[in-house]
């Protein structure tokens, strides 16, 4: 069975949806470790409550380069056997850019959830971007992480409709509901070795 490491920065609701699916035995993966870059991330309490080990590598005030910070993360992942061969890393609201050293080491082993239909609206405030653009639909994407900003091969996407009354808050809520559905689904596909990557594309069997 593969070992899962989840990286968070805050609320941790996507982390929770993944851990709960694992608990219900829907996903054959070992929830090895949750790591936060903030000691006060709400998700840490949730992980603890669900019986998953937690670690913090505080990013505020970290004296070193991005690559050195990521080295610390990798050493914790390694300690919990979340290795490039036997592991999967999920970014779940982890508000940091990952170094090329990290993405290269864990090629096609790090996945992320983004609250838009990529390649539209990458980066921050995607829901606001979609509203301001006047898009009629938006959604969320689970994708592999490469060295670009939200550019890796897409695994699953879900669509939500935008209506004239939507605010950033209502749209975020609608999208989050779909995030909680597709992120565990993507982890499950990975855990069952059903995802193949071919160039920019993923092939799901
Ligand atoms: C989600 O909207 C996710 O798409 C984005 O950051 C948010 C994290 O929320 N990457 P949570 O911490 O999982 O509740």
């Amino acid at each position: 069975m593969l070992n899962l490491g989840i990286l968070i920065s805050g609320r941790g609701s996507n982390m929770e949806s993944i851990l709960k699916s694992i608990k219900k035995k829907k996903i054959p993966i070992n929830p090895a470790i949750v790591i936060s870059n903030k000691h006060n991330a709400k998700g840490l309490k949730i992980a603890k409550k669900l019986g998953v080990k937690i670690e913090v590598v505080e990013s505020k005030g970290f004296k070193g380069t991005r690559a050195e910070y990521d080295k610390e993360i990798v050493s914790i992942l390694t300690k919990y056997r979340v290795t490039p061969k036997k592991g999967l890393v999920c970014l779940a609201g982890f508000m940091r850019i990952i170094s090329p050293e990290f993405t290269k080491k864990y090629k096609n082993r790090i996945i992320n959830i983004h609250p838009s239909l990529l390649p539209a609206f990458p980066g921050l405030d995607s829901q606001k971007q979609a509203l301001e653009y006047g898009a009629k639909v938006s959604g969320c994407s689970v994708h592999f992480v490469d060295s670009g900003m939200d550019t890796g091969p897409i695994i699953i996407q879900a669509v939500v409709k935008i209506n004239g009354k939507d605010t950033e808050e209502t749209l975020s809520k609608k999208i989050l509901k779909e995030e909680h559905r597709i992120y565990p689904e993507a982890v499950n596909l990975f855990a069952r070795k059903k995802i193949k990557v071919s160039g920019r594309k993923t092939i799901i069997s």
Side-chain angles (χ1 to χ4, degrees), residues 11-29:
R11 185 174 58 184
S13 69
N14 277 289
M15 172 209 73
E16 186 176 7
S17 72
I18 294 166
L19 292 178
K20 284 192 169 159
S21 291
I22 296 170
K23 270 210 148 180
K24 284 185 198 151
K25 306 238 177 292
K26 288 185 181 166
I27 310 177
I29 199 163

Side-chain angles (χ1 to χ4, degrees), residues 8-16 91-95 112-116 127 140-141 172 175-176 179-180:
I8 63 166
S9 296
R11 185 174 58 184
S13 69
N14 277 289
M15 172 209 73
E16 186 176 7
L91 309 184
F94 187 60
M95 301 302 285
N112 181 42
I113 181 117
H114 183 77
S116 77
Q127 300 90 337
C140 46
S141 310
S172 301
I175 293 175
L176 194 63
E179 292 183 34
H180 294 165

